[in-house]
Amino acid sequence: MNINANWLAAPVIIPLLFAASSLLAATRVNLRQMRIQRNLALIASVLNLGVALLLLYTTVIQDQRMVLYAGLWQAPFGITLVADALSAIMLTLTAVLMVTIVLYAIGTLDQREGLNFHPLLLFLLMGVNGAFLAGDLFNLYVFFEVLLMASFVLLSLGGRPGQVNGGLRYVVLNLLASTVFLTTAGVVYGTLGTLNLAHLAVRMEAAPLTLRIIVAGMLLIAYGSKAGLFPLFFWLPASYHTPHPAVTAIFGGLLTKVGIYALFRVFTLLFPDLLQAWQPLLLGIAGLTMLAGVFGAMAVNTIRRVLSFHIISQVGYMVMGLGLASSGNQLAIGFGLAAGIFYIMHHMIVKTALLMAGGAAELTMGTGQLKEGYLGGLVKRFPLLAGVFFVAAFSLAGIPPSSGFVSKLGLLQAALDSQHWMIAGVSLLVSALTLMSMVRLWQKGFAGKQHEDVLPPPRRPIYGFTLAPIIILVVISLGMGIFSDTFIRWSQTAADQLIDRAGYIEAVAPTDIIAPVSMDH
Amino acid sequence: MIALVFATLVAVLMASATYLLLQRNPVRMVIGLGLFTHAVNLLVFGTSVSHRGQPPIIVDKAAFNGDISQFVDPLPQALILTAIVISFGIVAFLIALLHRRNSLEAVESCTDRVDDPFAMEPAAALEAVDEDYEWLEDVVLKRELRKPKRTRR
């Protein structure tokens, strides 16, 4: 089966159309209009999931790359959308998360944050999908901005003091990172005369080493701060715990992973030599990110703050996969990269489930404080919620048979195979500390007893719509652990396609008629 | 020569932007961000200044021999246009956020509740926060009214 390349535009167009029409549909603000917006969002996310599965089938199972030339302009001149296995995997995970988050919002959203939540969510989806499909640096920048703009508004939708403060930090630091990204695009265009990724991959080979180091370094800074890497992560814990739980859940599952995707894409396609040369740097960043995240999680005291810090430590594992991309002794080349991709898959599912469960607990109890007597008693009151939280938490910590165990095992194998003892040790240590942190969440937050004089009893019930998406995600996570060979095969396909640069360049086929602009003007 | 002027200009703008960004005053921070984005726009623009005075199209297609000095590259201008719109939108949103924050400054407990957005808010704080949401209260009120009243025995 060969599907038309025009399908590549669908993941961008579907959310855009539905977002615009749901903004138009809700002329007045009341509950009925909110319901219309929600139904439109549900339809859009299900359609999007269908298209994503179609692309997944074509790129991963049939092992192809799909290229769409917008307006049939040839590659370096027009806008090019490219989907390979990694893009399709990310698109599918995003689509799954989107469906579950719309369901979750039914159970948890109140009027205050529910206004225009769904159109913004669809704009976010459009930006994320576009970033996964973008075939050139500038469109990557534009889609980054689309998703950031939607996320800015989503973050401060409630207008509460904490949200405004968190939103300010988030906006300023992300705008700075985007500007660094744009600067890089300007430098690249000024020196190499192209922005198309495949075209750049050709021209970057002939470029002087200084230029390559500057461009790679600036991209590492720009994407690294979006992904929450070691010295640049501070915007994340400052803002992620403030918005509505549904917003935190989708942010934690999606946003940092777009930065990680961009790192994977750019480093494997444009700088394969630097991937080798900078291995100590990347592994160092990975280790420090893991440690910083997990130690930060120990120091904070509300459920979602702890979980936000764990996003950082998990991002470290993904970069570890990227760092191990070029090394392979007995294992196949690209095993490290495949392990990293599998880790992304596992993390997106489990992290969203955890943030959903933690957020539901916070909403119900009216507080997220992990002090003695604030939370607690959730096991008896909401056994099902506590159950899914338990499974998700231990999947994050890497207990078999969950997906966390398999993904951590893969990374550890890759590290030991290429004899990077240091990063292997750090990843094991962080894994143990994560388990400790999860046990703390469980003991202080879910088990134990709530003191009657601290807070009144739960403010609102937990609906089935709140629980259903969490259960779906937890089941997916367990499935990824039990049937891990299928998912590992998919990640291996994605990694092989990333390493096969010539195949990517050939698929996009940029025509090279204009020589690079000379630098002496 | 012109490239040197551009480089100096971009450097000066970026330096001032960095200085402003490091200030504690949030308004200065926003101005700094605006300057920063403009510096980058100029930098991108600088990539197309090499053949000044030429139109951004190929005038005589028949005589075109692949010599790119016959026209000026139009792409950077398109890129800048996009970037200007994006940064303008974000700075506008940032100013709106700042305005919101300033109107919340009256709420004294603003900072210590950053930790816990779901903590119970005192009535006074709620009032100050909700002044923009009066229409929403109407919606809630109507819902309350629609509920069947409980009769007491």
Side-chain angles (χ1 to χ4, degrees):
Chain A
M1 188 184 74
N2 251 327
I3 68 166
N4 195 320
N6 284 333
W7 281 105
L8 282 186
V12 181
I13 289 176
I14 291 173
L16 177 63
L17 279 183
F18 277 85
S21 55
S22 73
L23 276 179
L24 289 176
T27 45
R28 283 177 307 150
V29 180
N30 58 32
L31 275 182
R32 222 189 84 229
Q33 310 280 12
M34 256 176 71
R35 218 165 287 141
I36 295 174
Q37 288 190 338
R38 183 181 76 207
N39 293 342
L40 282 174
L42 200 56
I43 297 170
S45 51
V46 170
L47 281 180
N48 179 51
L49 179 61
V51 174
L53 286 174
L54 192 66
L55 296 184
L56 186 76
Y57 178 78
T58 316
T59 54
V60 177
I61 311 285
Q62 298 186 331
D63 201 359
Q64 292 174 350
R65 291 187 182 82
M66 295 171 70
V67 183
L68 172 65
Y69 306 104
L72 284 183
W73 285 87
Q74 277 179 312
F77 304 113
I79 293 172
T80 320
L81 296 181
V82 189
D84 63 356
L86 180 62
S87 313
I89 287 174
M90 302 297 280
L91 281 176
T92 312
L93 287 169
T94 307
V96 171
L97 294 190
M98 249 336 136
V99 174
T100 53
I101 211 77
V102 174
L103 290 178
Y104 182 75
I106 296 176
T108 54
L109 222 55
D110 54 7
Q111 289 233 344
R112 184 170 187 160
E113 266 120 347
L115 299 169
N116 291 333
F117 170 84
H118 294 100
L120 285 166
L121 198 65
L122 290 179
F123 280 126
L124 184 77
L125 176 64
M126 171 194 162
V128 173
N129 281 350
F132 290 151
L133 289 171
D136 62 280
L137 270 186
F138 194 75
N139 275 300
L140 194 56
Y141 163 75
V142 170
F143 282 119
F144 256 119
E145 293 299 319
V146 170
L147 80 90
L148 282 178
M149 202 67 218
S151 71
F152 295 157
V153 188
L154 275 175
L155 193 75
S156 46
L157 205 55
R160 293 189 171 93
Q163 294 173 341
V164 174
N165 277 336
L168 265 178
R169 289 170 214 172
Y170 180 81
V171 174
V172 170
L173 290 167
N174 271 298
L175 182 58
L176 264 183
S178 300
T179 318
V180 173
F181 184 11
L182 185 62
T183 316
T184 324
V187 169
V188 165
Y189 190 73
T191 49
L192 296 178
T194 184
L195 287 169
N196 186 289
L197 284 175
H199 203 193
L200 270 180
V202 176
R203 288 195 174 173
M204 201 58 96
E205 279 169 7
L209 183 66
T210 339
L211 178 69
R212 273 184 295 165
I213 288 178
I214 290 174
V215 171
M218 285 175 77
L219 286 180
L220 187 62
I221 291 172
Y223 297 150
S225 60
K226 296 206 185 281
L229 295 188
F230 166 59
L232 307 162
F233 61 79
F234 35 80
W235 57 271
L236 195 151
S239 57
Y240 267 30
H241 60 287
T242 56
H244 189 273
V247 178
T248 311
I250 199 69
F251 280 16
L254 277 185
L255 294 195
T256 48
K257 264 54 73 184
V258 185
I260 289 288
Y261 164 83
L263 275 179
F264 270 62
R265 170 71 67 215
V266 164
F267 268 86
T268 51
L269 185 61
L270 303 186
F271 312 108
D273 52 334
L274 287 185
L275 204 54
Q276 196 115 38
W278 285 8
Q279 196 177 40
L281 175 72
L282 286 172
L283 288 180
I285 290 177
L288 287 172
T289 310
M290 289 180 205
L291 286 173
V294 88
F295 284 130
M298 285 177 180
V300 290
N301 263 330
T302 68
I303 295 186
R304 280 194 293 161
R305 284 195 151 210
V306 172
L307 292 176
S308 306
F309 266 110
H310 277 296
I311 298 176
I312 298 167
S313 80
Q314 309 284 306
V315 160
Y317 281 96
M318 299 168 202
V319 178
M320 175 180 162
L322 182 65
L324 295 170
S326 54
S327 52
N329 236 354
Q330 286 156 23
L331 294 165
I333 292 177
F335 185 82
L337 206 56
I341 293 169
F342 187 85
Y343 202 93
I344 297 179
M345 295 162 75
H346 142 76
H347 172 84
M348 283 172 84
I349 299 285
V350 167
K351 194 80 221 177
T352 311
L354 267 180
L355 282 168
M356 279 177 175
E362 282 195 15
L363 265 184
T364 307
M365 305 299 279
T367 179
Q369 287 289 344
L370 288 173
K371 284 179 204 150
E372 202 63 49
Y374 272 74
L375 284 165
L378 278 168
V379 181
K380 272 186 196 148
R381 262 193 207 124
F382 307 107
L384 204 53
L385 180 72
V388 285
F389 184 87
F390 185 86
V391 179
F394 284 83
S395 178
L396 191 79
I399 307 289
S402 60
S403 56
F405 171 70
V406 184
S407 54
K408 277 183 180 152
L409 184 69
L411 282 174
L412 197 63
Q413 266 184 320
L416 292 180
D417 180 59
S418 50
Q419 294 171 342
H420 289 101
W421 311 116
M422 193 79 163
I423 193 76
V426 169
S427 78
L428 278 178
L429 173 71
V430 171
S431 201
L433 291 176
T434 308
L435 181 62
M436 212 175 92
S437 175
M438 288 299 132
V439 169
R440 182 172 81 115
L441 270 187
W442 177 257
Q443 281 188 334
K444 292 263 174 70
F446 284 79
K449 225 176 154 188
Q450 189 189 24
H451 293 310
E452 296 297 329
D453 52 337
V454 175
L455 273 180
R459 285 202 267 176
R460 57 154 110 195
I462 290 182
Y463 301 105
F465 272 122
T466 315
L467 276 174
I470 311 177
I471 295 172
I472 294 173
L473 290 178
V474 166
V475 168
I476 293 177
S477 161
L478 285 179
M480 276 171 68
I482 294 166
F483 304 104
S484 53
D485 53 339
T486 313
F487 292 93
I488 287 176
R489 210 164 47 237
W490 289 4
S491 350
Q492 190 67 52
T493 310
D496 289 344
Q497 287 194 6
L498 279 184
I499 289 171
D500 178 21
R501 295 169 62 236
Y504 186 94
I505 296 167
E506 197 183 324
V508 179
T511 44
D512 203 339
I513 59 163
I514 294 181
V517 181
S518 63
M519 288 188 64
D520 46 60
H521 51 254
Chain B
M1 185 60 204
I2 188 77
L4 196 65
V5 173
F6 260 89
T8 319
L9 205 56
V10 170
V12 169
L13 277 176
M14 279 207 176
S16 350
T18 314
Y19 174 74
L20 285 172
L21 271 171
L22 294 174
Q23 306 277 307
R24 273 198 80 82
N25 185 346
V27 178
R28 290 191 176 202
M29 211 170 65
V30 172
I31 298 175
L33 275 176
L35 277 185
F36 202 86
T37 53
H38 280 302
V40 177
N41 289 342
L42 265 184
L43 186 140
V44 178
F45 186 65
T47 62
S48 75
V49 295
S50 53
H51 315 298
R52 275 186 314 144
Q54 306 288 337
I57 47 169
I58 300 170
V59 184
D60 189 0
K61 201 179 170 190
F64 182 65
N65 57 358
D67 175 19
I68 56 167
S69 65
Q70 286 179 11
F71 65 99
V72 72
D73 190 355
L75 188 68
Q77 302 176 19
L79 301 186
I80 296 169
L81 197 60
T82 318
I84 286 176
V85 173
I86 291 173
S87 60
F88 173 75
I90 295 181
V91 169
F93 178 71
L94 205 55
I95 291 171
L97 262 188
L98 267 184
H99 174 73
R100 177 93 191 141
R101 200 178 93 126
N102 287 346
S103 66
L104 286 172
E105 294 257 289
V107 188
E108 270 181 37
S109 46
C110 174
T111 42
D112 57 25
R113 270 209 315 270
V114 169
D115 255 14
D116 197 355
F118 292 106
M120 303 275 199
E121 294 171 33
L126 257 181
E127 237 169 65
V129 174
D130 279 347
E131 61 186 5
D132 293 352
Y133 283 85
E134 274 165 17
W135 47 272
L136 220 177
E137 275 167 24
D138 290 347
V139 176
V140 178
L141 208 67
K142 274 178 201 157
R143 258 182 87 208
E144 294 290 321
L145 287 176
R146 229 180 289 145
K147 276 183 195 163
K149 277 178 188 157
R150 215 178 286 164
T151 47
R152 276 191 194 161
R153 280 178 208 168

